[in-house]
């Protein structure tokens, strides 16, 4: 498994697959052909189907500025390796092709080039399943956070920065007003929810909703967020963590340890299944975020490793089959509300798991495998193409 640096990334929303991945790829391609006088970016499959609403063309043009870029959309052309495919082409002054590169945006802002296998990524953790991780922790008497720090000794300062960026997105989202960009005229709700949370301090749910909304609304308007594990699902983890900090008094240091635990869960899901809505639907984005957040909540509350794993399993299991169907291709409906509800669900998953003795029938490893298979069985219209589900219904209205 990769470093948590590859999971938690800082960048502009609204979609890590559609903005951060393509921006990263554009930068790499420019570095390979700096002598080019112009470029073309051909967008395939899901990247083309929802690219306009997800600002893919905007971010590629902005990244390659001042050199001109022609964007070509091929939404009907799905590549086998991954539905988020791009081909970059470099041209010289005579408009002759001097180089091409096919690359895939595989989720959470990560890219894999044509011919590269997914398991070629640099591995810093020796284990690839939660069962193995639990065995190691049992043998060494480690918590899940200890496990992360044992293999990524220098990760703590990075996680502190991640926590700071999450907090900044949240604070900005709580004071912002008006509607989000795009033709939905979708109203921001975080500030109003926050006022209600202050008036009802005994109700933790409202604060969790407010905080998750704040980050998700910042993401929807293209502001800076942390992929946790993606931009589309960026509100879930900070939503529940900062609400718990405020109401139950956890320190920043405890939140950083909780981020390590959540990151470990996200990394396992990314390695064994997928965190890409275009590949497996929203169960891979908001479902994974809920799973990560559930483990983090359980850890904060002092749960055993087994109870953390059970919490993560519940968080993912009860999102199985959830489709990706963003209305008009914007990361707004159902995404924003879905983040708020999943943040509360993460809290509930941890609470439920901790009421038990820890015994459970399905393991996190099994549910990850099920999520991957279910995602691949979903029809393409339910995987970030904005052609099915809620998106279709809305368009018909
Ligand atoms: S529905 Fe889920 S996966 Fe699809 S864009 Fe929205 S948050 Fe991302």
């Amino acid at each position: 498994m990769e470093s948590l640096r590859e999971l938690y990334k800082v960048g502009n929303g609204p979609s890590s697959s559609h903005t951060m991945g393509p921006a990263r790829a554009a930068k790499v391609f420019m570095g390979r052909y700096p002598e080019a006088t112009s470029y073309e970016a051909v967008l395939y499959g899901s990247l083309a189907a929802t690219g306009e609403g997800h600002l893919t063309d905007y971010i590629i043009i902005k990244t390659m500025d001042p050199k001109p870029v022609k964007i070509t959309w091929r939404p009907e052309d799905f590549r086998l390796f991954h539905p988020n495919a791009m081909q970059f082409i470099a041209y010289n002054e005579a408009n002759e092709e001097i180089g091409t590169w096919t690359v895939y945006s595989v989720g959470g802002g990560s890219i894999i080039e044509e011919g590269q296998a997914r398991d070629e990524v640099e591995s810093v953790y020796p284990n690839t399943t939660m069962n193995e991780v639990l065995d190691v922790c049992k043998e060494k008497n480690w918590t899940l956070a200890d496990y992360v720090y044992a293999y990524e000794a220098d990760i703590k300062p990075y996680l502190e920065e991640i926590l700071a960026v999450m907090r900044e997105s949240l604070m900005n989202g709580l004071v912002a007003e008006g509607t989000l960009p795009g033709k939905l005229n979708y109203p921001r709700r975080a500030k109003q929810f926050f006022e209600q949370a202050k008036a009802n301090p005994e109700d933790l749910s409202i604060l969790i909703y407010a905080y998750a909304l704040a980050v998700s609304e910042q993401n929807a308007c293209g502001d800076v967020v942390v992929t946790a594990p993606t931009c589309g699902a960026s509100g879930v983890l900070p939503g529940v963590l900062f609400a718990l900090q405020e109401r139950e008094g956890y320190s920043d240091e405890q939140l950083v340890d909780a981020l390590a635990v959540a990151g470990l869960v996200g990394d396992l899901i990314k390695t064994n299944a997928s965190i890409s809505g275009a590949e497996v639907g929203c169960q891979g984005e908001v479902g994974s975020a809920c799973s990560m957040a559930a483990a983090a909540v359980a850890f904060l509350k002092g749960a055993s490793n087994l109870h953390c794993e059970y919490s993560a399993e519940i968080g993912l299991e009860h999102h199985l089959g959830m489709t990706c169907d963003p209305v008009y291709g914007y990361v707004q409906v159902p995404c924003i509300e879905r983040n708020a509800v999943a943040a509360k669900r993460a809290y509930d998953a941890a609470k439920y798991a901790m009421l038990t003795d820890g015994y459970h029938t399905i393991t996190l490893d099994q549910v990850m495998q099920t999520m991957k298979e279910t995602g691949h069985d979903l029809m393409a219209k339910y995987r970030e193409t904005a052609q099915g589900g809620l998106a279709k219904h809305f368009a018909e209205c």
Side-chain angles (χ1 to χ4, degrees), residues 25-82:
K27 238 181 244 165
V28 171
F29 191 66
M30 285 179 84
R32 292 186 183 184
Y33 297 96
E35 72 280 20
T37 52
S38 68
Y39 300 101
E40 181 177 355
V42 187
L43 307 177
Y44 297 97
S46 299
L47 210 49
T50 50
E52 200 181 336
H54 284 40
L55 307 180
T56 308
D57 49 342
Y58 163 81
I59 203 76
I60 291 175
I61 291 166
K62 188 177 163 206
T63 305
M64 295 184 132
D65 184 63
K67 297 208 176 151
V69 191
K70 180 182 174 225
I71 306 286
T72 304
W73 306 90
R74 301 247 172 95
E76 70 294 336
D77 191 346
F78 279 80
R79 299 297 167 102
L80 269 184
F81 180 74
H82 194 281

Side-chain angles (χ1 to χ4, degrees), residues 26 41 57 83 93 95 97 99 114 128 137 142 161 177 219 267-268 280 298 307 314 317 324 336 341 370 377 386:
D57 49 342
E93 256 177 33
N95 210 26
E97 207 176 290
E114 181 101 305
T128 54
C137 289
W142 285 347
E161 281 171 36
E177 290 177 285
N219 174 64
D267 227 1
L268 285 164
V280 295
H307 283 91
I314 294 173
E317 181 183 321
C324 168
I336 294 173
V341 173
T370 305
D377 286 344

Side-chain angles (χ1 to χ4, degrees), residues 54 230 232-233 277 281-282 285-286 323-326 330-332 334-335 338-339 384:
H54 284 40
T230 64
C282 199
E285 295 208 15
V286 171
T323 60
C324 168
D325 50 359
Y330 298 127
V331 191
Q332 297 178 7
C335 323
R338 188 169 282 179
N339 271 257
E384 211 165 6

